[in-house]
Amino acid sequence: MAGAGTIGLEILDQVPDVDAVVVPVGGAGLIAGLSLAIKTRKPDVLIFGAEPENAASLSAALEHGNPVEVDVSYTVADGLSVPRIGQKSYEIASQYVDDVVKVPEELIPLAILRLVEMERAVLEGAGATGAASLLPGGPLYGKLDGKKVVTILSGGNIDSSTLGRIIERGLAADRRLLRFQLHVPDRPGTLGEIAKLIGSTGANIKDLYHERTWERGPINMLTVVCSVELGGPQHETSLKDALLQNKYQIAWPE
């Protein structure tokens, strides 16, 4: 815990005008030591804890007034998957931490993707949870506008295969990887026409297959399931508009 306090001192030395610090929370030792050090030197700095909603042990402790055992389910931030925080960590954090927020699971892969793309930093889920809380849809999004914010990136222990899956999840959450369905006539050339139209919009087909057997509509119709890589929201809109303009029946994800 004393070692964690040195991180707080380094933040104050390097960013003396910091307004808020966001800290990922597992067993709460990091946030306890860091908050004690920062609040002792500069009491007006806001300290926020960010924990996965699937492993919210500090939130539960604060609600009950004491550390309690919580049910922990799977989270990509497995380094924060702690069912019960320590007593000493609780005693300190409960005094010095301003708020603790629960981060939706789907935002953590997106934060990993953002850090890879924007900072060229490879983080594990636990290390990216603080950043995830600040993304659109996160519990701290918009609440610290105009403030100088530091978030702790606390770990990069992630293997390449897991990182690949997480990046794909992040792309899907960002709607740059999109899956949709088309209901089309079952006749020769249909798949080629669909592929040509999708390609004309600049979208890249990642996967495309059709389903006849389980189709519940007319016998002359089939369902085509297509996964595409997109450039962003405007690209998605242009693809959807192109399909509708060509009279395709589509089932689009919300």
Side-chain angles (χ1 to χ4, degrees):
M1 198 178 299
T6 65
I7 299 174
L9 298 179
E10 288 181 21
I11 291 172
L12 293 179
D13 289 342
Q14 296 178 31
V15 194
D17 56 344
V18 62
D19 296 309
V21 181
V22 182
V23 187
V25 177
L30 173 60
I31 196 170
L34 182 148
S35 63
L36 173 59
I38 289 180
K39 290 286 191 176
T40 300
R41 289 263 304 266
K42 197 173 179 182
D44 58 331
V45 175
L46 299 172
I47 307 294
F48 293 93
E51 54 187 356
E53 61 182 2
N54 293 347
S57 53
L58 179 54
S59 295
L62 293 172
E63 290 170 6
H64 288 82
N66 209 50
V68 293
E69 196 88 10
V70 298
D71 292 328
V72 172
S73 55
Y74 175 80
T75 172
V76 69
D78 54 354
L80 304 181
S81 186
V82 179
R84 182 188 181 101
I85 67 169
Q87 182 65 40
K88 181 60 68 174
S89 297
Y90 167 76
E91 291 172 2
I92 295 174
S94 61
Q95 293 183 58
Y96 295 105
V97 174
D98 293 281
D99 196 12
V100 181
V101 298
K102 301 175 185 178
V103 180
E105 184 67 21
E106 65 270 15
L107 289 181
I108 301 174
L110 184 56
I112 294 173
L113 175 63
R114 286 282 187 272
L115 289 162
V116 168
E117 291 184 322
M118 301 177 71
E119 299 295 332
R120 300 297 185 262
V122 177
L123 273 294
E124 61 182 283
T129 299
S133 70
L134 298 164
L135 293 177
L140 293 178
Y141 178 68
K143 295 183 178 180
L144 299 174
D145 288 353
K147 297 184 182 296
K148 184 164 286 189
V149 181
V150 171
T151 183
I152 307 298
L153 306 179
S154 56
N157 184 24
I158 185 170
D159 65 81
S160 57
S161 60
T162 301
L163 179 61
R165 293 198 300 272
I166 286 175
I167 287 176
E168 287 209 330
R169 288 286 185 93
L171 288 169
D174 210 21
R175 298 184 78 87
R176 286 188 284 160
L177 185 60
L178 189 74
R179 185 175 65 177
F180 58 91
Q181 294 183 3
L182 303 169
H183 299 286
V184 299
D186 187 1
R187 57 176 175 75
T190 296
L191 294 183
E193 293 169 1
I194 293 171
K196 184 176 180 180
L197 177 59
I198 292 174
S200 71
T201 69
N204 184 44
I205 297 175
K206 186 175 178 67
D207 188 34
L208 186 149
Y209 66 91
H210 64 276
E211 178 59 65
R212 288 191 180 94
T213 306
W214 307 109
E215 174 65 49
R216 295 190 176 186
I219 196 68
N220 66 331
M221 299 291 287
L222 58 81
T223 297
V224 175
V225 181
C226 188
S227 299
V228 295
E229 295 173 331
L230 300 168
Q234 291 183 338
H235 197 180
E236 178 187 346
T237 300
S238 66
L239 171 61
K240 184 177 181 181
D241 288 346
L243 292 168
L244 291 173
Q245 288 168 8
N246 282 268
K247 310 301 182 184
Y248 284 108
Q249 299 178 40
I250 62 175
W252 210 257
E254 296 182 357

